[in-house]
Amino acid sequence: MARSVNATVYSPQLLSLKYASRPIKAVRRAAEILIALGTFVFKLVLDERNGQLDQNKRMRAKELRKVFTRLGPTFVKVGQGLSTRPDICPPEYLEELSELQDALPTFPDADAFSCIERELGRSLDSIYSSISPSPIAAASLGQVYKARLKYSGQVVAVKVQRPAIEESIGLDFYLIRGVGILINKYVDIITSDAVALIDEFARRVYQELNYVQEGKNARRFKKLYADKQDVLVPDIFWDYTSAKVLTMDWVDGVKLNEQEAIERQGLKLLDLVNTGIQCSLRQLLEYGYFHADPHPGNLLATPEGKLAFLDFGMMSETPEEARYAIIGHVVHMVNRDYEAMARDYYALDFLSPDIDVSPIVPALKSFFDDALNSTVSELNFKTIVDGLGAVLYQYPFTVPAYYALILRSLTVLEGLALYADPNFKVLAASYPYFAKRLLTDPNPYLRDALIELLFKDGKFRWNRLENLLVQGRKDRDFTTKDALQPVLKLLLGPDGEELRTLVVKEAIRVTEAIVLGTAIDTYNSIPVPMRTLIFNGNATGPFMMTGSEQESMLELRDRLFRIWSLLRSSENFDPALLQPILQVLQEPEARNLGGRVIGGITQRLAARLLQQLLRS
């Protein structure tokens, strides 16, 4: 930790003071950037005028990759960010810019070895019994060597920072921030705060320059998420780590975008991607601490079938309120409650509280009514991102940095999956997690979201509950016990009167369906001649109900039996799990609720019987 005391921290004020006194250096670098990017833009304009924009797209994408590489680490980071934004870049650009993750020029090995000795205060020979003579990989901010520790014989990865990188990155961000100030002042078409976005991006890049901070990020990430047997996070060797040198376990594996190599190991890419999606959902919505740079170079498939996460320089956090708001947003989307969806943008920090959301509702309705013609699980994540992007573009939204990083994380995983299966849908793979959280999380916001999902116009939607249970059981962490307890606590709590009224009505309807459904089955099991004889040729038998009414009642009863079967077949189900429920039902409020249900059932069945006698 002492070695990271002097690590560089991003400060716009300090950069301004530093480079304002060096105008010649700033002007020279600005000219270099303007010439490189200006030449590229000029070629695009010519292509458009000549009608060759689509024809030359691949060639221009390669040129842009080379331009970013020549301009140095800052623009390599910009290109890496763009490579995960299908909402901004065409596919040809995404593919070319993704090569920036690996195909970077290396710096001299002598400089790297000198940096290791200077940072750790020891000679190479005293630290390693062997170290690769050249780097195994080159990243935007450093390069990686494979070595064997002398004291233990363990094989490690040693990441060494590029020399004088703070100087080049600092000057670039000083210039880019100046452009952001001009955009905020003169470009009305861009509604987001350009300077704030640039500052957020620069802050994260500077955090990546502190390898001790990256080691701490890795340790925290491992503590939160490596409890799953299919996720691997390497250990950090703190005695051999400083602000510019990071030493961690060496991980043997194949990059997640090398499908053939993965399948040669007997592994399935989709299984690994699904592991990544489930882990990402836990990161984004459970603990809120997530890996913000999950490009293919940072995700490895190990020979044991685990998904290994690497490079913890760029991390981010989802605010707690936003975590619940995202899940609630999905519920509102399923319910097509566009007014509630629009209000969610306050909690998500997309809109300031003084903005009126009513004009946004028709735009959401127009997009999602078309998109939701298929089921939610069939929606493509990119379709939603593109559609919402069009809506956000028309209104005064400010997209928070954490949300942009969430989109980046999930679009990368979906892109990897689409290589293996063009029909893969991230939302379909995510839905079991959402179902489990709704059924088991005691958070009041999610409990309200669950009630909103299950009740409509005073009626309980049993088909929704059945679907949630079917999906929730696909999540390995789902248990019946967790699904039952929070609902009961809510139902019998002091604020549950409105819900109790709905539940009493539904319990009466359900009991009637079971009793009369069983009676209908019994009647249908009697041979036809005997039915005619017993009931004097009455076609409906003893039940004064239409065929559709009987069918509806039987359908409800059968759905209830299926739901009970789903609960019983849940992993770790034990009848003893019902004991806490029986204890809860001993409470006065529960006994009162039971009395109301029994009274309602008695009245309902008595009314049925009286109706039967009068019609007879």
Side-chain angles (χ1 to χ4, degrees):
M1 300 302 169
R3 294 182 185 131
S4 68
V5 169
N6 296 320
T8 309
V9 177
Y10 175 69
S11 169
Q13 294 78 18
L14 290 178
L15 289 178
S16 181
L17 287 172
K18 180 177 181 179
Y19 293 110
S21 61
R22 303 182 190 178
I24 296 176
K25 185 170 187 176
V27 169
R28 189 182 296 127
R29 177 60 174 167
E32 182 185 358
I33 294 169
L34 285 173
I35 290 170
L37 294 180
T39 303
F40 175 76
V41 171
F42 180 70
K43 290 179 181 178
L44 288 181
V45 172
L46 285 181
D47 286 345
E48 188 173 20
R49 286 191 176 180
N50 297 332
Q52 296 180 317
L53 197 61
D54 290 333
Q55 179 183 335
N56 293 341
K57 200 174 281 185
R58 174 68 65 182
M59 180 173 67
R60 298 298 176 224
K62 288 181 179 178
E63 288 179 6
L64 183 60
R65 173 172 58 80
K66 291 175 182 176
V67 167
F68 281 157
T69 303
R70 283 199 307 272
L71 287 175
T74 308
F75 287 88
V76 167
K77 297 302 292 185
V78 170
Q80 288 175 347
L82 290 174
S83 76
T84 59
R85 292 299 299 268
D87 52 326
I88 296 175
C89 297
E92 293 84 356
Y93 283 80
L94 294 177
E95 290 175 24
E96 286 298 327
L97 293 177
S98 67
E99 293 185 19
L100 286 169
Q101 321 294 0
D102 304 301
L104 294 173
T106 61
F107 59 89
D109 298 313
D111 291 348
F113 297 152
S114 174
C115 177
I116 293 172
E117 292 182 333
R118 184 173 59 253
E119 286 291 310
L120 301 184
R122 299 166 62 179
S123 66
L124 281 185
D125 292 342
S126 67
I127 303 172
Y128 312 113
S129 56
S130 64
I131 186 168
S132 56
S134 57
I136 304 299
S140 51
L141 305 180
Q143 57 197 36
V144 179
Y145 294 84
K146 185 176 182 179
R148 187 179 295 276
L149 291 177
K150 195 164 190 175
Y151 90 99
S152 66
Q154 287 172 284
V155 179
V156 294
V158 183
K159 185 158 76 168
V160 187
Q161 197 172 105
R162 291 178 180 272
I165 194 168
E166 298 104 322
E167 181 70 22
S168 62
I169 283 181
L171 177 55
D172 286 345
F173 277 121
Y174 167 72
L175 296 171
I176 293 170
R177 195 174 191 273
V179 174
I181 292 171
L182 294 176
I183 289 172
N184 281 355
K185 194 171 183 179
Y186 299 111
V187 183
D188 295 332
I189 197 171
I190 297 178
T191 57
S192 298
D193 185 343
V195 172
L197 290 173
I198 291 166
D199 284 345
E200 179 66 22
F201 181 65
R203 198 169 289 112
R204 294 187 184 285
V205 172
Y206 267 79
Q207 284 177 1
E208 288 190 70
L209 293 178
N210 183 354
Y211 285 175
V212 170
Q213 182 59 49
E214 180 175 343
K216 290 162 73 176
N217 293 344
R219 180 172 61 183
R220 182 180 175 190
F221 190 90
K222 184 182 181 85
K223 183 178 179 181
L224 291 176
Y225 308 115
D227 58 327
K228 301 299 177 188
Q229 60 182 10
D230 44 13
V231 173
L232 175 66
V233 179
D235 283 320
I236 305 298
F237 292 83
W238 293 105
D239 289 342
Y240 306 101
T241 294
S242 73
K244 297 184 179 182
V245 177
L246 177 65
T247 304
M248 65 172 68
D249 272 329
W250 179 265
V251 178
D252 285 311
V254 179
K255 290 175 187 171
L256 226 55
N257 59 350
E258 298 177 7
Q259 185 179 355
E260 291 183 4
I262 289 173
E263 290 176 350
R264 280 199 299 271
Q265 292 187 343
L267 305 175
K268 293 182 179 178
L269 176 59
L270 286 180
D271 290 344
L272 291 157
V273 170
N274 197 50
T275 296
I277 290 170
Q278 300 307 316
C279 186
S280 293
L281 290 169
R282 290 183 72 208
Q283 293 174 49
L284 302 173
L285 303 176
E286 208 160 309
Y287 297 105
Y289 184 69
F290 65 94
H291 195 300
D293 193 21
H295 63 73
N298 289 340
L299 298 170
L300 297 183
T302 70
E304 300 80 27
K306 293 185 177 185
L307 179 65
F309 284 82
L310 306 176
D311 195 347
F312 300 92
M314 187 175 286
M315 308 296 288
S316 188
E317 297 198 43
T318 315
E320 185 175 12
E321 186 181 7
R323 289 177 234 160
Y324 297 119
I326 290 170
I327 297 175
H329 200 61
V330 172
V331 172
H332 296 147
M333 182 175 67
V334 171
N335 284 344
R336 303 193 185 208
D337 187 347
Y338 303 121
E339 291 183 4
M341 284 183 73
R343 289 194 299 272
D344 288 337
Y345 295 126
Y346 294 133
L348 290 168
D349 204 24
F350 277 39
L351 295 170
S352 61
D354 58 319
I355 301 283
D356 179 20
V357 295
S358 54
I360 300 167
V361 175
L364 290 172
K365 178 177 172 58
S366 174
F367 167 67
F368 280 106
D369 275 350
D370 288 337
L372 293 174
N373 283 334
S374 55
T375 63
V376 173
S377 62
E378 290 174 349
L379 278 174
N380 188 298
F381 186 73
K382 186 179 182 303
T383 303
I384 291 182
V385 171
D386 291 348
L388 275 178
V391 174
L392 300 181
Y393 189 75
Q394 300 172 39
Y395 298 96
F397 282 91
T398 300
V399 179
Y402 77 84
Y403 188 76
L405 292 169
I406 287 173
L407 295 184
R408 171 181 176 171
S409 177
L410 291 177
T411 48
V412 166
L413 288 167
E414 183 172 64
L416 289 168
L418 290 174
Y419 279 116
D421 180 5
N423 297 315
F424 184 86
K425 301 292 184 289
V426 158
L427 284 176
S430 305
Y431 203 62
Y433 176 85
F434 282 100
K436 182 205 73 173
R437 286 293 298 276
L438 283 170
L439 287 169
T440 62
D441 198 310
N443 179 271
Y445 187 96
L446 296 188
R447 291 279 59 76
D448 291 343
L450 178 62
I451 293 168
E452 193 178 323
L453 186 68
L454 296 180
F455 282 95
K456 185 178 182 182
D457 301 328
K459 286 190 176 181
F460 192 87
R461 294 187 279 189
W462 291 97
N463 62 319
R464 288 279 174 88
L465 177 59
E466 183 181 11
N467 185 44
L468 283 175
L469 287 168
V470 168
Q471 295 295 331
R473 288 175 73 244
K474 295 177 183 177
D475 190 287
R476 285 179 297 184
D477 296 332
F478 176 81
T479 64
T480 305
K481 180 180 179 180
D482 292 338
L484 292 174
Q485 293 297 337
V487 176
L488 275 172
K489 287 179 182 176
L490 175 70
L491 178 63
L492 302 174
D495 300 324
E497 179 55 37
E498 185 179 349
L499 179 60
R500 285 194 287 273
T501 302
L502 293 172
V503 167
V504 167
K505 289 169 60 178
E506 198 58 35
I508 293 167
R509 191 167 77 95
V510 163
T511 305
E512 182 186 41
I514 292 173
V515 172
L516 292 183
T518 304
I520 290 169
D521 278 350
T522 303
Y523 170 74
N524 289 336
S525 67
I526 300 173
V528 175
M530 290 186 66
R531 280 192 239 166
T532 307
L533 183 64
I534 295 171
F535 298 106
N536 298 322
N538 189 340
T540 61
F543 310 105
M544 293 298 177
M545 288 187 287
T546 63
S548 61
E549 195 178 358
Q550 287 190 32
E551 187 178 331
S552 174
M553 196 162 287
L554 289 171
E555 182 182 348
L556 174 58
R557 186 206 58 178
D558 292 345
R559 190 181 295 279
L560 289 166
F561 288 164
R562 287 199 300 273
I563 289 171
W564 174 242
S565 177
L566 284 169
L567 290 170
R568 288 183 61 194
S569 60
S570 172
E571 188 177 352
N572 300 324
F573 179 82
D574 184 339
L577 294 175
L578 300 177
Q579 187 174 351
I581 298 173
L582 297 175
Q583 291 172 355
V584 171
L585 293 176
Q586 299 299 313
E587 297 176 10
E589 191 59 54
R591 290 200 297 271
N592 179 38
L593 182 65
R596 288 162 65 184
V597 171
I598 292 169
I601 293 168
T602 304
Q603 289 178 21
R604 188 72 167 258
L605 293 177
R608 285 273 186 194
L609 179 61
L610 181 61
Q611 182 185 48
Q612 184 72 34
L613 291 172
L614 290 174
R615 286 187 178 180
S616 298

